[in-house]
Every structure is written in C-alpha cells, then in structure tokens.
Amino acid sequence: MEFTAPELWSQVLSSARTGIPEQSYRTWLAGSTAVGLSDHELIVEAPSAFHVEWVEDKYGSLLGEIVEKVLGRPLDLTFRCSAPSAAAQLPALEVAEPMPTTAPPFSGSGPRSQGATGFAAERVSDPKRAANLNDRYSFDRFVVGANNQLAAAACKAVGERPAKNYNPLFLYGGVGLGKTHLMHAIGHLVLERNPSAQVAYVTTERFMNELVNAIQQGTTPAFRRRFRMIDLLLVDDVHFLAQKESTQEEFFHTFNDLVDNNRQVVISADKSPSDLEGMEERLRSRLGWGLVADIHATSYELRLGIVESKAERIGVDIPGKVKEFLAHRITSNVRELEGALNRVVAHATLVGREISLETCHEVLHDILRANDRRVTIEEIQKKVAEHFNIRITDMHSARRARAIARPRQVAMYLAKQLTARSLPEIGRKFGGRDHTTVMHAVKKIEELRQSDVSFCEDVDLLRRMLEG
Ligand code: ADP
Ligand code: MG
C-alpha cells in the first residue's frame, strides 16, 4: 500500500503518541507536518529550530522505527524548520528590560513581588513548592566524604552567601552521586535565610519545554521576564543542551542576564565545562567562569556513612554486617545503594523476617550482579606483579623460585576469588598450567592467610585495590 506523506506521518504520530507522555507529544510532535515523501526519505517540518533539535535527538530513532514498521521498509527521516529561522520566531531580546525596583537581590529587605516565583504557573504560597524543591534533599541529609567535600563546601558557601564568591557554581560528576541533592539543598538554605528570595530549580528539559511553550503561545517576553526575577536559579543536567544550538542561545542570554545582575546561578552536568561536547564555545567558557566543583566516585567509608544515616532515619535496626555488606558491594552510585537498602527493609517488613546477609543475597541478587566489578585476570596479574616487584612475564613463566612462585600463587588465588573463571581457564592464563596447580595455589594461600597475619593483610589489600 502506498501512502502520501501526510497519511504516513499521521499513522506514525498516532503510534508514537501511545508510547510517550501526552504532554511531550503535544509540545514536540503535535505541530509537525510531513511535507515530502520519496523512495528513501520522509521530510517533516516542525514549527521551530528548537523542535527540530529536540525531536531529532529525543524521538528520532523511535520515529524511524515506527516508520519502518508502518511502511515495511526503512526511510531516512529529515526534520526541518517550517519557519525561516528560529530567530525569526523569537521576539528580539529586550535589551533595556527594566530591573525590579525592589531591593537588590539577597539584601534580605523588602518584599519581592509575588507570583513571579519559580516556574510553577499557579500561585503557590509555599516558596519551597514554588521553587520546586524536594524536602528530602537538604544539607542535613547529605553525607560528606572525600569524594564530595569540595562540592558540598562550595554549595554551602553559595547557600549562605549567594552571588558573592562563586557565580556561577558548576557541579559535575557521574549519575547518582548527589548533584541534584546538593542543588536542592542550596535552594533550601537560601530560602531559610531569606524566605522572600525567588528561587527556581529547573531541569534542562523543563527549561526547554517552557521555552518552546512560550514561543508557541507568543509569551516569550513573559518567559524571559520571569527568569530575570529569579535570585537563585538552579539548572540541572545542562549536558542535555548539547547539540541544541537554539536553546543554548536562549539559555546563554538568560544565564548572562542573571549573573550580570548579581543573581546566583548553579549548574550541574555530567562533565566539566571544557568536556561538554556539542556546546558552543562561549557558553562553555562562561559556564566555567565561577567555581567548578566535581564529585568523584564514592568510597567505602562514604557508602557506609550513607547506609548508617539512612538506617537511623528510617528507624530500622540493621546489623552491622549487613551495612558493611551493602557499602562494600553496591558501589555504582548512591541512588542504587539507597534503592538496595529500601528493598531489603521493605522485604523484611513485608515478609516479617530479620534483615540478614542471606536476605540481602536473596533480595538483591540482580543489583549485586550488576555491581560486580569485572576484574580481569590480566589486571590481577599486573597488580600482583607490581606489588611484589616481579616482572609480569613471570606470571606465565616456569620459574619456581619462591620469590616468584608465591606472588604467582597469590594472583591465581585472587583470580579464583574475584572472577568467575574456572580453574582450567585460570591455569591457561598462567602459562598453560594445569587446573590442579591452580587448586593447589588456592589452598596454599588460604593456609598462609590463616597462619601469617601480615601476609593475610597483604592479600586483602591487593584484593581491595582490585575491587576498586
Ligand atoms: P545526581 O543528581 O548526581 O544523579 P542525586 O542527587 O539524584 O544524584 O542523588 C541520588 C540519590 O542519592 C538521592 O536520593 C540522594 O539523596 C542520594 N545521595 C547522593 N549522594 C548522597 C550523599 N552524599 N549523602 C546522602 N545522600 C546522597
Ligand atoms: Mg540529578
């Protein structure tokens, strides 16, 4: 069956609509029209350059799949903007935007105008709700460790004296390490000290959505005015702006306006400003002008601290062994660690069983597996050789001098403990030795660990280093 472009597109859209949130559908897809169809290409027009960027990035592959399903063969999907340029759709920036006539930001005096708060469209009397802040994410509940010390201190400083020393504050780090938590905490602190401050937390996605809605409804000036009233703007996950040039442009202006007018801006991303690919150079450099603070991967101590603080707060008695086990094994990020703890507690409560190591293994097997760090035999050999100061080739050699044979046995033992390899496989990696040699090595090291404390400590140290 052959389709016209609009027929094909309308089928694709109705199928896409079932798979994405209605609000997103309306914002991003509803206004698109197909304007051309050839053997190999479907051309779709969207109302603005924002739409084009966003739809390509977020929905491009989904739409491509649906097209292929409907048509029975793949097609190139080309999006283009129906207006001549995005700029043509945006009213010119009002350069001489009047500054609010109230007290300067953060002076703590004078009521601020109501209703311009944050992003909530409705008037909300609770400033925290208006600002979009989650009560759980406070400084009280944030456990500070070596990995996040700088970031936490910077956030506190900004919360206490916004727009003074670190503006913008740029936080970056991997998923689930507390960036969002810290941003909310700054918001809470600012509001505590100055309840009339205008605080807004937005995700980058939300910023884009609001912007596009404003463009569609012709309310861009109001959108911009609303932004300029904000004293503390927290923008989360700006790496999502990558490749979205038009949105970057708008964001850049907003950002400059605020910083230039002595309002505090806090940004988070998964990379440092200089590593943010797909970002315009001037934006990248501007983002790094204030303080850049990174959050590193968690340490065992921090994870244990988090488990302890959380257990205490929910008032559940958790055996020390279980806390240590969780902190030791769930290393990916804090979000997953919290999830694991919740699951264990929920299980114990529902089934009425005590929390123990067995229940942990049982309830968490999938998480535990995913968190198993895959140490390779090669890594083990390298680390062990370095540690005992022998050559890595001696791991494979036939030399039997104790100074060499013992480290080799340690490496075999660790290979057995830390990898899922079988004895014959391990033997092969150690110069083609027999599996009985590996078995012997494992037994020997176990014995030595029992009888020689310092040897045991040595092996444990190696093990910890390898486990990361
Ligand atoms: P990110 O934004 O970096 O992806 P989040 O801030 O969403 O991470 O953190 C994920 C979860 O872990 C949240 O529930 C947060 O409260 C918690 N969390 C992260 N780091 C800490 C910490 N240092 N102390 C207490 N909770 C933390
Ligand atoms: Mg986050």
Side-chain angles (χ1 to χ4, degrees):
M1 165 182 180
E2 270 316 305
F3 290 98
T4 63
E7 283 166 0
L8 174 59
W9 191 236
S10 109
Q11 285 221 15
V12 170
L13 284 184
S14 59
S15 163
R17 191 171 189 164
T18 60
I20 58 183
E22 184 61 18
Q23 179 60 39
S24 306
Y25 175 82
R26 282 208 217 118
T27 305
W28 299 110
L29 291 173
S32 61
T33 40
V35 294
L37 176 64
S38 69
D39 284 350
H40 63 276
E41 189 184 30
L42 175 65
I43 301 171
V44 176
E45 281 189 354
S48 77
F50 299 98
H51 286 82
V52 172
E53 289 169 358
W54 189 257
V55 171
E56 275 178 346
D57 186 49
K58 271 287 256 217
Y59 304 118
S61 54
L62 170 75
L63 294 167
E65 278 166 29
I66 299 177
V67 167
E68 182 168 353
K69 221 178 270 164
V70 173
L71 209 59
R73 65 191 161 88
L75 270 191
D76 285 342
L77 252 181
T78 304
F79 295 97
R80 63 183 197 203
C81 181
S82 51
S85 78
Q89 293 229 339
L90 285 172
L93 277 171
E94 309 97 291
V95 183
E97 184 74 26
M99 281 297 295
T101 48
T102 45
F106 295 119
S107 68
S109 64
R112 306 292 305 262
S113 65
Q114 288 296 311
T117 317
F119 265 167
E122 73 278 27
R123 282 168 188 244
V124 207
S125 52
D126 177 3
K128 283 187 177 174
R129 266 190 55 213
N132 245 331
L133 299 179
N134 182 333
D135 279 339
R136 273 195 326 115
Y137 293 161
S138 60
F139 280 118
D140 286 0
R141 296 193 177 193
F142 192 80
V143 181
V144 178
N147 70 316
N148 58 27
Q149 213 165 24
L150 171 70
C155 290
K156 267 238 169 81
V158 163
E160 277 159 9
R161 297 161 59 87
K164 283 286 180 300
N165 298 324
Y166 311 118
N167 202 14
L169 172 62
F170 188 101
L171 296 174
Y172 75 95
V175 175
L177 294 179
K179 300 183 294 296
T180 299
H181 187 135
L182 281 173
M183 294 180 106
H184 284 240
I186 297 174
H188 289 304
L189 188 53
V190 163
L191 282 172
E192 241 164 61
R193 300 167 70 96
N194 177 7
S196 58
Q198 305 292 309
V199 172
Y201 166 87
V202 263
T203 61
T204 298
E205 187 162 0
R206 177 100 183 251
F207 177 87
M208 296 189 55
N209 275 314
E210 298 255 344
L211 175 59
V212 167
N213 283 331
I215 294 168
Q216 277 170 347
Q217 288 154 18
T219 53
T220 327
F223 172 84
R224 289 183 176 143
R225 256 195 313 278
R226 210 152 43 119
F227 261 109
R228 288 169 197 206
M229 303 295 294
I230 292 171
D231 300 317
L232 169 65
L233 177 64
L234 307 154
V235 188
D236 211 351
D237 293 328
V238 294
H239 47 272
F240 287 129
L241 279 180
Q243 317 300 346
K244 307 199 176 61
E245 281 147 37
S246 324
T247 315
Q248 282 180 33
E249 173 83 19
E250 181 67 28
F251 179 72
F252 183 68
H253 288 301
T254 306
F255 175 92
N256 283 342
D257 262 352
L258 288 171
V259 174
D260 293 346
N261 286 310
N262 213 23
R263 317 297 173 101
Q264 176 73 47
V265 178
V266 182
I267 309 278
S268 86
D270 64 352
K271 295 183 201 65
S272 75
S274 51
D275 289 335
L276 282 174
E277 279 162 26
M279 288 280 210
E280 228 194 303
E281 179 50 37
R282 57 176 187 162
L283 177 56
R284 261 196 292 172
S285 98
R286 189 80 217 252
L287 289 175
W289 271 14
L291 179 68
V292 176
D294 58 342
I295 307 184
H296 304 275
T298 57
S299 64
Y300 172 76
E301 286 71 27
L302 181 87
R303 294 194 296 272
L304 190 60
I306 287 172
V307 172
E308 276 169 349
S309 104
K310 178 131 185 159
E312 196 181 302
R313 198 170 39 249
I314 53 185
V316 178
D317 220 4
I318 298 175
K321 277 248 169 322
V322 168
K323 292 181 197 159
E324 285 163 18
F325 174 83
L326 292 173
H328 184 64
R329 294 292 299 274
I330 318 274
T331 55
S332 49
N333 66 53
V334 182
R335 186 173 303 137
E336 205 155 83
L337 182 62
E338 286 187 334
L341 180 63
N342 285 338
R343 218 200 269 184
V344 169
V345 171
H347 178 83
T349 318
L350 292 172
V351 182
R353 261 170 71 186
E354 265 175 54
I355 298 175
S356 68
L357 284 181
E358 284 90 79
T359 50
C360 283
H361 276 289
E362 222 176 282
V363 192
L364 301 176
H365 56 92
D366 52 334
I367 301 184
L368 291 173
R369 213 173 26 231
N371 273 274
D372 273 344
R373 206 173 95 64
R374 306 242 174 279
V375 185
T376 62
I377 293 183
E378 287 75 16
E379 279 175 78
I380 294 173
Q381 292 175 329
K382 183 162 172 285
K383 253 291 174 302
V384 174
E386 274 167 17
H387 182 79
F388 290 102
N389 212 5
I390 65 171
R391 288 192 313 238
I392 195 159
T393 49
D394 279 330
M395 289 289 165
H396 316 276
S397 76
R399 295 177 61 191
R400 301 176 64 163
R402 160 93 48 102
I404 291 179
R406 189 70 83 225
R408 195 192 289 133
Q409 287 177 323
V410 169
M412 288 185 202
Y413 165 84
L414 288 170
K416 182 75 194 99
Q417 301 289 319
L418 300 180
T419 73
R421 299 308 180 92
S422 66
L423 295 175
E425 279 175 307
I426 295 173
R428 273 200 291 283
K429 296 265 187 177
F430 284 83
R433 289 179 157 79
D434 191 70
H435 77 276
T436 52
T437 310
V438 182
M439 211 153 68
H440 173 72
V442 173
K443 245 174 75 195
K444 184 75 202 166
I445 299 301
E446 273 166 0
E447 278 168 26
L448 281 171
R449 278 171 51 99
Q450 299 287 327
S451 59
D452 182 341
V453 180
S454 80
F455 177 80
C456 182
E457 279 170 1
D458 241 21
V459 174
D460 284 346
L461 175 71
L462 274 166
R463 185 195 176 117
R464 277 200 302 277
M465 288 195 308
L466 283 160
E467 283 177 331

